[in-house]
Amino acid sequence: MILGEKEVVYVVSDSVGETAEFVVKAVATQFNGGNVEIRRNSYVDDFEDIEDVLILARTRKSIIAYTIVVPALKEYLDRRAAEENIMAVDLLSPLINAFTTSFNKTPHHQPGLMRKLDEEYFRKIEAIEFAVKYDDGRDPRGILKADIVLIGVSRTSKTPLSMYLAHKRFKVANVPLVPEVPAPEELFAIPRKNCIGLIISPDKLNEIRLERLKALGLGSKASYASFARILDELDYAEKIMKRVGCPIINVSNKAIEETAGLILDVLKKERSL
C-alpha cells in the first residue's frame, strides 16, 4: 500500500449504482468528505465482474459498498470479500429484510427496477406536458403526434380526460368542434383508431353550460347555453365525427374515470382489429 494514497470505496451494483454512490457520498460527508475516492462498477451480473473488483480492492485500503439483489451474486461477493479480508457492506439487505418481516412481502430480486420506475415517472411527466401543450386545439400539429385525440363540443370533459389519461402515460391532444371554426385537416390524416368522439345529451350539456355561465357571472340567456345553439353544435360535431370515422362515446352522466375506462376499452378493441 502506498503511503498517503486515497482510500477507495468500490461501489458495486447489478444496476446503475446511483443509489449506492449517493449513500457512500452521504456517509463521506460525515468525515468531512475524507480522502475517499469512489469508483462505481455498474451492471455487475456475473462472478467474473465481482472478481475484477476484488483484484483492485485487495491492492489498497478500500471498502466495497454494494447494491446487489440477485442472491447468488450477493452470496458470492460476501464470501469472496471475506476470503480476501476486504470489508463489503450490503446497503440493501437490511431494509429488504425489514420489508419482508414487517410487511410480509416477498422481494422480486430483480435488478434495475428503480430505473424502470424512473422511466415510468418521466413518461408520465412527458405525457402531462403534452396534454397541456396540445389542449383545446392550440396547436394542430399535436394531433399527428398524439396517442389519443379527443374531439367534441365545449364542455364534454376533453381537458380533464386528457389529463387523466396523461397520468396513465398516454399522450393526448384534444380538439373542440365549433361550427364557425373549420376542423383541422390533421384530424382527417390520422388513423381512425387514434381518435375518439365525445358526445353528450342536449339536456345535460345545457345544464353544464348554465352552471358554467353562472360561475363566470354571465346571464343564462347567452347563446352559449341556448338549446338552438347546442343542437347546432352537436349536429356539426356528429358530422365531423362521421367524416373522421372514429368511435364515439356518450359522456352524459359519466364520471371522468368511467369515461377514461371506456376510451381505453374502445381503443384496445379498435387497435386489435
Side-chain angles (χ1 to χ4, degrees), residues 41-239:
N41 299 265
S42 304
Y43 302 110
V44 171
D45 59 6
D46 60 35
F47 300 145
E48 288 185 8
D49 290 337
I50 291 173
E51 287 296 334
D52 290 341
V53 176
L54 291 169
I55 289 170
L56 295 172
R58 68 190 178 200
T59 62
R60 58 194 306 172
K61 192 173 184 179
S62 60
I63 296 171
I64 295 175
Y66 69 88
T67 51
I68 292 179
V69 296
V70 178
L73 289 176
K74 168 190 156 32
E75 291 166 10
Y76 184 84
L77 176 53
D78 285 340
R79 178 174 59 80
R80 289 289 294 116
E83 291 172 356
E84 297 290 347
N85 199 30
I86 300 168
M87 174 70 72
V89 181
D90 181 352
L91 300 177
L92 292 183
S93 285
L95 194 53
I96 288 176
N97 292 338
F99 268 64
T100 302
T101 303
S102 299
F103 302 148
N104 194 29
K105 294 182 179 293
T106 303
H108 294 293
H109 295 301
Q110 181 180 339
L113 291 182
M114 187 65 184
R115 174 65 58 175
K116 290 178 182 178
L117 286 175
D118 286 345
E119 289 171 357
E120 291 291 303
Y121 171 77
F122 286 116
R123 276 201 292 271
K124 180 166 73 173
I125 295 302
E126 184 180 6
I128 292 170
E129 290 175 346
F130 186 96
V132 172
K133 183 176 182 179
Y134 297 111
D135 180 46
D136 207 31
R138 290 176 187 169
D139 185 346
R141 291 175 296 180
I143 295 170
L144 303 175
K145 303 173 185 177
D147 299 318
I148 304 170
V149 178
L150 303 177
I151 59 175
V153 300
S154 173
R155 315 314 295 175
T156 48
S157 302
K158 295 184 301 299
T159 295
L161 280 167
S162 295
M163 295 306 298
Y164 185 90
L165 292 167
H167 277 82
K168 293 186 176 295
R169 299 176 295 282
F170 290 97
K171 293 181 179 179
V172 185
N174 73 77
V175 180
L177 299 179
V178 184
E180 294 79 14
V181 180
E185 287 302 316
E186 288 86 352
L187 203 56
F188 309 107
I190 61 173
R192 62 184 296 276
K193 63 185 178 182
N194 287 4
C195 186
I196 292 285
L198 304 175
I199 62 170
I200 188 170
S201 71
D203 288 339
K204 185 64 180 177
L205 186 55
N206 173 255
E207 177 187 328
I208 292 171
R209 288 190 174 184
L210 285 174
E211 287 298 319
R212 177 63 173 165
L213 289 174
K214 188 185 299 183
L216 294 173
L218 301 175
S220 61
K221 293 183 179 180
S223 63
Y224 177 70
S226 74
F227 265 101
R229 174 64 186 183
I230 285 172
L231 292 174
D232 187 36
E233 287 188 34
L234 291 175
D235 182 60
Y236 172 75
E238 185 179 352
K239 290 176 181 176

Side-chain angles (χ1 to χ4, degrees), residues 8-26:
V8 178
V9 178
Y10 291 93
V11 169
V12 179
S13 175
D14 46 19
S15 185
V16 179
E18 291 174 338
T19 301
E21 183 171 350
F22 181 82
V23 172
V24 170
K25 286 180 178 178

